């Protein structure tokens, strides 16, 4: 049964005992009798709920402002709106999108330190006040273009241990921070706090500790200059799956003591964060179809004790998505994508080394350079899990290939839990995620 609650909140209830993976199987079974074997997603909104409960348990002092750029699906945004998160928007269009769901402007932070003037004016006209900056030029633009900005100074972090480094592009040094605070004072601007981003795919939680300590330094500088800053924004960078080098809880176990040390509760500071990947990565499974295949043969074969064929017989599969579509993150090396074979394997089936290529005519369009799979045929399906972050949102229709359809699902128990949270309008740690 498909539920439609609002314009942008359509999903199918999972029957009792069914999970998202069963829906993937069902769609694939339906496709066997037809030629329509387009790639598709199944997105489990209940997984987003589980992440939300996990957040509330692990970071009870920190309000999440979901980073819209990570996945701007209206159904995802509606889910998070229902759960009561705030939103990190980086552009006029993202602000528009979030406001069209009825989100109040106090739940929006315009977290792009380098903004186009017309978009600053748009934020001003639509009541969005919180915004980040990291330069003097930005301060002057805001002074001229916004009536009532509440500015958040973005500081640089040591992101050398992150996969996607952001401090090359954004963030003021501590020395510059003082100058910026002074300049803002002269311009009569209100600075309400400090933000940072440790980089996406952060592998060293001590980066957060150092950044939190630096933020406290800037709070103290601000106090000397007469500012009463009340907001700390610890940004994003939290892992979206448990396959990452560090779990979310291993990171929060380092963050919490740092917050308690540098921003104890009686310091009176509101703490927010801008998680993107954390909320959506694991909710999405992508199914792609093998549209073409080549076999490269060389002599000499054998097999090792794991059943991997040690010959030079390698296979090349071409599938109907690629790095210009859902896999653009692959070239950044963040997630190792590992295909899962959909077809049931026979007990003693041999594994062959293979390469998986995307469907465009571009040479860069390679999804997996080398993996071992049982031999597949054209028409077979491969699944990729954890495909919710920076996939659909970053994909193009290069070469005329359309984006995969997304089928949203949710269990009834997840739905009920979401309604309870919505009723309380706050995440309550007593709520258990559905089994
Ligand atoms: C991209 C981005 C985020 C989200 O980062 P994740 O690593 O996905 O959590 C948060 N804040 C800002 C300013 C960003 O640019």
């Amino acid at each position: 049964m498909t539920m439609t609650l609002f314009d942008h909140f359509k999903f199918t209830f999972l029957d009792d005992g069914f999970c998202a993976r069963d829906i993937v199987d069902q769609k694939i079974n339906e496709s066997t009798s037809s030629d329509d074997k387009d790639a598709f997603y199944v997105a489990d909104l209940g997984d987003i709920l589980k992440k939300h409960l996990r957040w509330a348990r692990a970071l009870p002092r920190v309000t999440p402002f979901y980073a819209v750029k990570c996945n701007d699906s209206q159904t995802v945004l509606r889910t998070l709106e229902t759960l009561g998160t705030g939103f990190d928007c980086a552009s006029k269009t993202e602000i528009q999108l979030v406001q069209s769901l009825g989100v109040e402007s106090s739940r929006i932070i315009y977290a792009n330190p380098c903004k186009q003037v017309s978009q600053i004016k748009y934020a001003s006209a639509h009541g969005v006040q919180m915004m980040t900056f990291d330069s003097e030029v930005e301060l002057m633009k805001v002074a001229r273009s916004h009536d009532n900005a509440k500015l958040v100074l973005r500081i640089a972090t040591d992101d050398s241990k992150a996969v996607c480094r952001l401090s090359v592009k954004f963030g003021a040094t501590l020395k510059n921070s003082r100058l910026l605070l002074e300049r803002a004072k002269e311009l009569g601007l209100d600075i309400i706090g400090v933000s940072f981003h440790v980089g996406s795919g952060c592998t060293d939680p001590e980066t957060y500790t150092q950044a939190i300590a630096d933020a406290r330094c800037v709070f103290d500088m601000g106090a000397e200059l007469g500012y009463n800053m009340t907001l700390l924004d610890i940004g994003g960078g939290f892992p979206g799956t448990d396959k990452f080098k560090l779990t979310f809880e291993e990171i929060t176990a380092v963050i919490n003591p740092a917050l308690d040390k540098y921003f104890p509760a009686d310091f009176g500071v509101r703490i927010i964060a801008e998680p993107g990947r954390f909320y959506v990565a694991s909710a999405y499974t992508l199914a792609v179809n093998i549209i073409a295949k080549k076999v490269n043969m060389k002599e000499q074969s054998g097999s090792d004790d794991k059943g991997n064929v040690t010959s030079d017989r390698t296979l090349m599969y071409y599938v109907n998505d690629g790095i210009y579509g859902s896999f653009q993150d692959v070239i950044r090396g963040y997630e190792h994508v590992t295909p899962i074979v959909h077809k049931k394997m026979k007990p003693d089936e041999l594994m062959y080394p293979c390469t998986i290529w995307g469907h465009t005519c571009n040479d860069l369009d390679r999804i997996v350079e080398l993996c071992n799979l049982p031999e597949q045929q054209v028409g077979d399906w491969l699944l990729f899990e954890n495909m919710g972050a920076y996939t659909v949102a970053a994909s193009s229709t290069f070469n005329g290939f359309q984006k995969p359809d997304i089928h949203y699902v949710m269990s009834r128990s997840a739905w009920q839990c979401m309604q309870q949270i919505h009723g309380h309008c706050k995440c309550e740690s007593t709520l258990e995620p559905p089994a």
Side-chain angles (χ1 to χ4, degrees), residues 194-215:
V194 176
S195 79
F196 59 79
H197 196 302
V198 297
S200 213
C202 172
T203 59
D204 181 8
E206 294 302 331
T207 315
Y208 283 97
T209 308
Q210 186 57 49
I212 291 166
D214 288 351

Side-chain angles (χ1 to χ4, degrees), residues 65-67 69-70 88 90 111-113 132 154 166 170 196-197 199-202 208 233 235-239 273-278 334 389-390:
F65 276 57
Y66 170 71
K69 82 164 186 288
C70 183
D88 151 4
N112 186 341
T132 61
R154 171 130 165 213
L166 289 166
F170 297 118
F196 59 79
H197 196 302
S200 213
C202 172
Y208 283 97
D233 176 355
F238 308 93
E274 300 162 353
R277 205 182 285 284
F278 171 78
Y334 179 80
Y390 305 109

Side-chain angles (χ1 to χ4, degrees), residues 48 54 63 121 141 154 160 242-243 251-252 266 289 294 318 329 350 361 365 369 371 389 393 401 403 418 426:
I48 296 176
R54 200 167 155 186
T63 307
K121 289 183 177 161
K141 277 154 59 189
R154 171 130 165 213
S160 55
D242 288 333
K243 287 193 183 139
I251 294 175
T252 59
D266 60 11
N289 197 258
K294 287 176 194 163
Y318 299 74
D329 230 23
L350 293 173
C361 294
D365 193 0
E369 187 176 349
C371 64
F401 292 111
K403 301 184 186 189
M418 261 179 66
K426 273 273 161 287

Side-chain angles (χ1 to χ4, degrees), residues 276-329:
R277 205 182 285 284
F278 171 78
Y279 266 96
V280 289
S282 57
Y284 280 56
T285 300
L286 173 66
V288 301
N289 197 258
I290 296 174
I291 56 170
K293 170 184 175 182
K294 287 176 194 163
V295 182
N296 297 331
M297 267 305 260
K298 281 192 190 158
E299 289 308 312
Q300 300 170 332
S301 36
S303 70
D304 66 15
D305 48 6
K306 294 191 194 94
N308 294 318
V309 174
T310 55
S311 76
D312 289 327
R313 181 179 192 266
T314 56
L315 298 164
M316 299 212 289
Y317 299 113
Y318 299 74
V319 301
N320 51 4
D321 202 338
I323 69 156
Y324 293 95
S326 301
F327 291 95
Q328 77 96 34
D329 230 23

